[in-house]
Amino acid sequence: NAGVTQTPKFQVLKTGQSMTLQCAQDMNHNSMYWYRQDPGMGLRLIYYSASEGTTDKGEVPNGYNVSRLNKREFSLRLESAAPSQTSVYFCASSEFRGYTFGSGTRLTVV
Amino acid sequence: TQLLEQSPQFLSIQEGENLTVYCNSSSVFSSLQWYRQEPGEGPVLLVTVVTGGEVKKLKRLTFQFGDARKDSSLHITAAQPGDTGLYLCAGTTSGTYKYIFGTGTRLKVLA
């Protein structure tokens, strides 16, 4: 089925380790997003890319970097993971009709 | 910072009952969306409303956008266990595709 694919689904990191969350969409959408979801906090925007070649900070960008590799792929990198980054991370893409979300990456930093 | 407040936070009802959840803000939105999220999955778009006063129906779900485009409601008629999930509203003020999400209403429908 068409949609947004995120990998990995689960990850445990030690404080200070780095990792990259991968996201790919096959709907030819221009815009892509990374959100984190924490209990009681809703979904908060980390970074977004309005189109290939552009990226912008969202509400909570500190501690993260992104790369819009091509129109399909948008990756999120944690350079030095901290326990405060324990969360569920969602990638999404959109055109005119609203977001299509991936199924999420559950990240635990110990 | 724009805030979208949803109420109630939690709702547990019996199958067959009706319910309404609310999404409120002090900001005017150019577009507002409702999503449903099930455990272990990403949110799934239910509806987008763009015109003040607009009402949209999706089977037993009725969505209304406030006249001033600052608030919205979701009404479910004769709730079923399959309606269980986290309901999220999301709005954009700038006409871009960057949406701010509310904190959600967690609904449980008991058989």
Side-chain angles (χ1 to χ4, degrees), chain A residues 4-18:
Chain A
V4 177
T5 303
Q6 288 184 237
T7 55
K9 205 161 175 62
F10 300 94
Q11 183 72 50
V12 179
L13 289 178
K14 293 183 178 178
T15 297
Q17 286 185 317
S18 62

Side-chain angles (χ1 to χ4, degrees), chain B residues 49-89:
Chain B
V49 287
V50 298
T51 305
E54 183 176 2
V55 177
K56 280 193 173 178
K57 293 194 174 185
L58 185 66
K59 297 183 181 178
R60 294 177 293 101
L61 279 60
T62 302
F63 305 86
Q64 185 159 8
F65 200 14
D67 291 341
R69 291 184 288 131
K70 291 184 177 183
D71 56 87
S72 181
S73 63
L74 158 59
H75 182 79
I76 301 178
T77 303
Q80 298 177 0
D83 296 325
T84 293
L86 178 66
Y87 288 81
L88 295 159
C89 64

Side-chain angles (χ1 to χ4, degrees), chain A residues 4-66:
Chain A
V4 177
T5 303
Q6 288 184 237
T7 55
K9 205 161 175 62
F10 300 94
Q11 183 72 50
V12 179
L13 289 178
K14 293 183 178 178
T15 297
Q17 286 185 317
S18 62
M19 80 162 294
T20 300
L21 280 63
Q22 307 287 353
C23 175
Q25 52 95 6
D26 58 6
M27 295 168 288
N28 204 36
H29 287 169
N30 281 310
S31 302
M32 297 187 73
Y33 310 81
W34 278 104
Y35 283 86
R36 60 178 287 174
Q37 187 173 35
D38 303 291
M41 301 290 287
L43 283 156
R44 291 182 293 168
L45 182 63
I46 304 171
Y47 271 93
Y48 69 103
S49 171
S51 61
E52 185 179 355
T54 69
T55 61
D56 285 290
K57 295 178 180 179
E59 186 184 352
V60 288
N62 291 343
Y64 305 95
N65 285 301
V66 290

Side-chain angles (χ1 to χ4, degrees), chain A residues 31 33 35 37 40 43 45 48 90 94-99 101-103, chain B residues 1 33 35 37 40-43 45 48 86 88 97-99 101-103:
Chain A
S31 302
Y33 310 81
Y35 283 86
Q37 187 173 35
L43 283 156
L45 182 63
Y48 69 103
F90 287 100
S94 75
E95 201 63 38
F96 302 110
R97 289 184 169 271
Y99 289 12
F101 282 88
S103 57
Chain B
T1 302
Q33 300 176 337
Y35 292 80
Q37 184 179 19
E41 298 296 328
L45 179 67
T48 301
L86 178 66
L88 295 159
Y97 307 129
K98 189 174 69 170
Y99 280 75
F101 281 78
T103 52

